[in-house]
Amino acid sequence: DFIFITQASGTADVRRVSLDGLVTTVLASVAGTAVNSPSSIAISADFVFIASKSDACVSIFDATAAPTEAPTDAPTAVPTAPVPGYTLWSLGGATNGEAGNVQGVRSVAKVKYPQKVVADPLDSNNLYVFERNAHKVLKMTPDGTTSAFIAQDTSGYADGLGTAARMYLPHFGATAPDGALYFGDGNRAVRKVDPAGNVATIGGSAPPTAVSGWVDDAAGLSARFNWPVYVTIHKGSTDADHQLYVSDINNHAIRKL
C-alpha cells in the first residue's frame, strides 16, 4: 500500500510514500502533461490518475508492478519512469497543454480546467473530472473516452438529470461507497449526484436562487453556506454511518451534513 502525493509547484512531480515512510519520485515533470503542474490525483484498482488545471489535461499511469502499454493513438510518447513499471500517457485533454471543450474519444477530447479528479467507487477505473471553469463534471473511461456526466458548459443553478442540471464553479468532490458523488458548488450549496446522474441540492438554498450566509444546526435546504469548496466523506461501517464534511471557506468553518 502507498500514498501518492502531487507536488504542484517547484519540482512539479508525483511522489510515492510507503507505509514505512520511504519517499520515491515515480513521475518527474513532463511538459504538456498533467505531471507538469499536477493539481489533483485519484487512485483506482489499476491506475493513478492525475489532473492539471493549468496544463488543461488529465494523465494516467499504471499503479501495478507490470508496465502498461500506452494506447496506439497516443501522442508523442512521454514515458518518464524513474521507477520501473510506471508508464505515463495522456488520457484526455491534451496535447502540449492545449485547452479545449471537446468530448469524445481520447485522440480528440480536450478539457479546459480540470480542477479535481475522483474515481468512481462502483467502477474504480472510471473517472469523474470536475471542469470548474466550464461548470460541469465529465466522465472518463480507462481508454480516455470523455463524456458530459452532469451539466453542460453554461453556468446556472438547477437540479435535474445529467446535462439538464446546472452549477457554478464546481470545486472538489468526494464519492460514497454506494456510488453517490458529493461536491461543493459556487452557488453556496452542497450537491449530490446519484449513479444515474440525478443532481439534487442537499445543503444551502434551493435552486434557482443562490443565497449565501450562515445558518447552522438546520436541515438541508434551511442551512446556509458561504462558499462550500472542499467536501470529504468519513465512511462508516454502514451507509447510515457515513458522514459528509464540508469546508465552508468564507464562513471559516468545517460543517457536517
mmCIF file of all heavy atoms in Angstrom, residues 181-203:
data_model
loop_
_atom_site.group_PDB
_atom_site.id
_atom_site.type_symbol
_atom_site.label_atom_id
_atom_site.label_comp_id
_atom_site.label_asym_id
_atom_site.label_seq_id
_atom_site.Cartn_x
_atom_site.Cartn_y
_atom_site.Cartn_z
ATOM 1 N N LEU A 181 -22.026 10.866 -5.636
ATOM 2 C CA LEU A 181 -20.966 11.866 -5.758
ATOM 3 C C LEU A 181 -21.444 13.150 -5.093
ATOM 4 O O LEU A 181 -22.548 13.631 -5.375
ATOM 5 C CB LEU A 181 -20.672 12.119 -7.237
ATOM 6 C CG LEU A 181 -19.659 13.201 -7.605
ATOM 7 C CD1 LEU A 181 -18.260 12.797 -7.144
ATOM 8 C CD2 LEU A 181 -19.664 13.440 -9.123
ATOM 9 N N TYR A 182 -20.636 13.708 -4.198
ATOM 10 C CA TYR A 182 -20.976 14.942 -3.496
ATOM 11 C C TYR A 182 -19.942 16.018 -3.860
ATOM 12 O O TYR A 182 -18.763 15.713 -4.023
ATOM 13 C CB TYR A 182 -20.949 14.728 -1.982
ATOM 14 C CG TYR A 182 -21.957 13.726 -1.479
ATOM 15 C CD1 TYR A 182 -21.660 12.366 -1.474
ATOM 16 C CD2 TYR A 182 -23.191 14.131 -0.990
ATOM 17 C CE1 TYR A 182 -22.581 11.429 -1.008
ATOM 18 C CE2 TYR A 182 -24.118 13.211 -0.516
ATOM 19 C CZ TYR A 182 -23.806 11.860 -0.538
ATOM 20 O OH TYR A 182 -24.721 10.942 -0.078
ATOM 21 N N PHE A 183 -20.398 17.264 -3.954
ATOM 22 C CA PHE A 183 -19.447 18.328 -4.260
ATOM 23 C C PHE A 183 -19.967 19.676 -3.781
ATOM 24 O O PHE A 183 -21.165 19.880 -3.567
ATOM 25 C CB PHE A 183 -19.132 18.382 -5.759
ATOM 26 C CG PHE A 183 -20.298 18.749 -6.645
ATOM 27 C CD1 PHE A 183 -20.523 20.065 -7.020
ATOM 28 C CD2 PHE A 183 -21.162 17.772 -7.113
ATOM 29 C CE1 PHE A 183 -21.583 20.405 -7.839
ATOM 30 C CE2 PHE A 183 -22.229 18.101 -7.937
ATOM 31 C CZ PHE A 183 -22.443 19.421 -8.303
ATOM 32 N N GLY A 184 -19.016 20.604 -3.603
ATOM 33 C CA GLY A 184 -19.358 21.974 -3.269
ATOM 34 C C GLY A 184 -19.576 22.785 -4.532
ATOM 35 O O GLY A 184 -18.861 22.627 -5.516
ATOM 36 N N ASP A 185 -20.571 23.654 -4.510
ATOM 37 C CA ASP A 185 -20.971 24.435 -5.672
ATOM 38 C C ASP A 185 -20.821 25.918 -5.339
ATOM 39 O O ASP A 185 -21.162 26.351 -4.230
ATOM 40 C CB ASP A 185 -22.429 24.098 -6.000
ATOM 41 C CG ASP A 185 -22.922 24.692 -7.302
ATOM 42 O OD1 ASP A 185 -22.556 25.835 -7.626
ATOM 43 O OD2 ASP A 185 -23.711 24.030 -7.999
ATOM 44 N N GLY A 186 -20.328 26.700 -6.306
ATOM 45 C CA GLY A 186 -20.203 28.139 -6.105
ATOM 46 C C GLY A 186 -21.528 28.833 -5.867
ATOM 47 O O GLY A 186 -21.548 30.021 -5.508
ATOM 48 N N ASN A 187 -22.640 28.144 -6.056
ATOM 49 C CA ASN A 187 -23.957 28.679 -5.713
ATOM 50 C C ASN A 187 -24.212 28.643 -4.208
ATOM 51 O O ASN A 187 -25.343 28.820 -3.774
ATOM 52 C CB ASN A 187 -25.053 27.882 -6.424
ATOM 53 C CG ASN A 187 -25.117 28.195 -7.898
ATOM 54 O OD1 ASN A 187 -25.275 29.344 -8.305
ATOM 55 N ND2 ASN A 187 -24.983 27.166 -8.734
ATOM 56 N N ARG A 188 -23.148 28.449 -3.437
ATOM 57 C CA ARG A 188 -23.245 28.394 -1.971
ATOM 58 C C ARG A 188 -24.097 27.208 -1.537
ATOM 59 O O ARG A 188 -24.936 27.296 -0.641
ATOM 60 C CB ARG A 188 -23.824 29.676 -1.392
ATOM 61 C CG ARG A 188 -22.874 30.839 -1.175
ATOM 62 C CD ARG A 188 -21.938 31.132 -2.276
ATOM 63 N NE ARG A 188 -21.120 32.311 -1.975
ATOM 64 C CZ ARG A 188 -20.243 32.831 -2.815
ATOM 65 N NH1 ARG A 188 -20.059 32.289 -4.014
ATOM 66 N NH2 ARG A 188 -19.536 33.889 -2.475
ATOM 67 N N ALA A 189 -23.869 26.077 -2.217
ATOM 68 C CA ALA A 189 -24.679 24.893 -1.958
ATOM 69 C C ALA A 189 -23.817 23.642 -1.992
ATOM 70 O O ALA A 189 -22.720 23.625 -2.558
ATOM 71 C CB ALA A 189 -25.792 24.771 -2.990
ATOM 72 N N VAL A 190 -24.331 22.587 -1.379
ATOM 73 C CA VAL A 190 -23.737 21.261 -1.470
ATOM 74 C C VAL A 190 -24.678 20.399 -2.298
ATOM 75 O O VAL A 190 -25.889 20.366 -2.037
ATOM 76 C CB VAL A 190 -23.514 20.650 -0.069
ATOM 77 C CG1 VAL A 190 -22.919 19.255 -0.188
ATOM 78 C CG2 VAL A 190 -22.611 21.546 0.773
ATOM 79 N N ARG A 191 -24.124 19.738 -3.309
ATOM 80 C CA ARG A 191 -24.941 18.975 -4.247
ATOM 81 C C ARG A 191 -24.614 17.488 -4.150
ATOM 82 O O ARG A 191 -23.491 17.104 -3.822
ATOM 83 C CB ARG A 191 -24.704 19.446 -5.688
ATOM 84 C CG ARG A 191 -24.587 20.954 -5.894
ATOM 85 C CD ARG A 191 -25.886 21.704 -5.755
ATOM 86 N NE ARG A 191 -26.850 21.428 -6.788
ATOM 87 C CZ ARG A 191 -26.885 22.036 -7.985
ATOM 88 N NH1 ARG A 191 -25.943 22.916 -8.296
ATOM 89 N NH2 ARG A 191 -27.843 21.765 -8.858
ATOM 90 N N LYS A 192 -25.597 16.670 -4.492
ATOM 91 C CA LYS A 192 -25.428 15.214 -4.521
ATOM 92 C C LYS A 192 -25.844 14.705 -5.890
ATOM 93 O O LYS A 192 -26.853 15.137 -6.443
ATOM 94 C CB LYS A 192 -26.282 14.545 -3.440
ATOM 95 C CG LYS A 192 -26.237 13.020 -3.468
ATOM 96 C CD LYS A 192 -27.171 12.417 -2.411
ATOM 97 C CE LYS A 192 -27.169 10.902 -2.496
ATOM 98 N NZ LYS A 192 -28.080 10.288 -1.483
ATOM 99 N N VAL A 193 -25.053 13.764 -6.434
ATOM 100 C CA VAL A 193 -25.374 13.133 -7.714
ATOM 101 C C VAL A 193 -25.435 11.636 -7.501
ATOM 102 O O VAL A 193 -24.463 11.031 -7.013
ATOM 103 C CB VAL A 193 -24.299 13.445 -8.775
ATOM 104 C CG1 VAL A 193 -24.771 12.992 -10.150
ATOM 105 C CG2 VAL A 193 -23.940 14.927 -8.782
ATOM 106 N N ASP A 194 -26.549 11.006 -7.842
ATOM 107 C CA ASP A 194 -26.626 9.554 -7.718
ATOM 108 C C ASP A 194 -25.969 8.901 -8.931
ATOM 109 O O ASP A 194 -25.628 9.578 -9.914
ATOM 110 C CB ASP A 194 -28.062 9.087 -7.497
ATOM 111 C CG ASP A 194 -28.973 9.261 -8.713
ATOM 112 O OD1 ASP A 194 -28.471 9.402 -9.848
ATOM 113 O OD2 ASP A 194 -30.205 9.237 -8.530
ATOM 114 N N PRO A 195 -25.747 7.585 -8.912
ATOM 115 C CA PRO A 195 -25.037 6.933 -10.021
ATOM 116 C C PRO A 195 -25.703 7.107 -11.383
ATOM 117 O O PRO A 195 -25.031 7.018 -12.417
ATOM 118 C CB PRO A 195 -24.997 5.461 -9.601
ATOM 119 C CG PRO A 195 -25.025 5.508 -8.104
ATOM 120 C CD PRO A 195 -25.937 6.649 -7.775
ATOM 121 N N ALA A 196 -27.005 7.374 -11.396
ATOM 122 C CA ALA A 196 -27.711 7.573 -12.670
ATOM 123 C C ALA A 196 -27.554 8.993 -13.198
ATOM 124 O O ALA A 196 -27.974 9.285 -14.320
ATOM 125 C CB ALA A 196 -29.192 7.243 -12.506
ATOM 126 N N GLY A 197 -26.967 9.895 -12.377
ATOM 127 C CA GLY A 197 -26.751 11.265 -12.824
ATOM 128 C C GLY A 197 -27.792 12.253 -12.372
ATOM 129 O O GLY A 197 -27.829 13.391 -12.860
ATOM 130 N N ASN A 198 -28.647 11.872 -11.422
ATOM 131 C CA ASN A 198 -29.644 12.805 -10.887
ATOM 132 C C ASN A 198 -28.983 13.731 -9.872
ATOM 133 O O ASN A 198 -28.386 13.267 -8.892
ATOM 134 C CB ASN A 198 -30.780 12.033 -10.205
ATOM 135 C CG ASN A 198 -31.604 11.237 -11.182
ATOM 136 O OD1 ASN A 198 -32.313 11.793 -12.004
ATOM 137 N ND2 ASN A 198 -31.497 9.902 -11.099
ATOM 138 N N VAL A 199 -29.082 15.036 -10.114
ATOM 139 C CA VAL A 199 -28.445 16.037 -9.262
ATOM 140 C C VAL A 199 -29.476 16.625 -8.311
ATOM 141 O O VAL A 199 -30.560 17.054 -8.741
ATOM 142 C CB VAL A 199 -27.821 17.169 -10.102
ATOM 143 C CG1 VAL A 199 -27.148 18.197 -9.196
ATOM 144 C CG2 VAL A 199 -26.824 16.605 -11.106
ATOM 145 N N ALA A 200 -29.154 16.656 -7.021
ATOM 146 C CA ALA A 200 -30.051 17.236 -6.021
ATOM 147 C C ALA A 200 -29.241 18.121 -5.087
ATOM 148 O O ALA A 200 -28.100 17.797 -4.729
ATOM 149 C CB ALA A 200 -30.758 16.141 -5.227
ATOM 150 N N THR A 201 -29.803 19.249 -4.704
ATOM 151 C CA THR A 201 -29.184 20.122 -3.714
ATOM 152 C C THR A 201 -29.552 19.605 -2.334
ATOM 153 O O THR A 201 -30.729 19.455 -2.012
ATOM 154 C CB THR A 201 -29.675 21.568 -3.886
ATOM 155 O OG1 THR A 201 -29.355 22.015 -5.200
ATOM 156 C CG2 THR A 201 -29.022 22.485 -2.871
ATOM 157 N N ILE A 202 -28.556 19.320 -1.500
ATOM 158 C CA ILE A 202 -28.836 18.754 -0.175
ATOM 159 C C ILE A 202 -28.483 19.718 0.953
ATOM 160 O O ILE A 202 -28.834 19.478 2.103
ATOM 161 C CB ILE A 202 -28.099 17.424 0.033
ATOM 162 C CG1 ILE A 202 -26.579 17.630 -0.038
ATOM 163 C CG2 ILE A 202 -28.562 16.381 -0.980
ATOM 164 C CD1 ILE A 202 -25.784 16.415 0.425
ATOM 165 N N GLY A 203 -27.787 20.799 0.639
ATOM 166 C CA GLY A 203 -27.450 21.785 1.652
ATOM 167 C C GLY A 203 -27.344 23.157 1.025
ATOM 168 O O GLY A 203 -26.782 23.312 -0.056
#
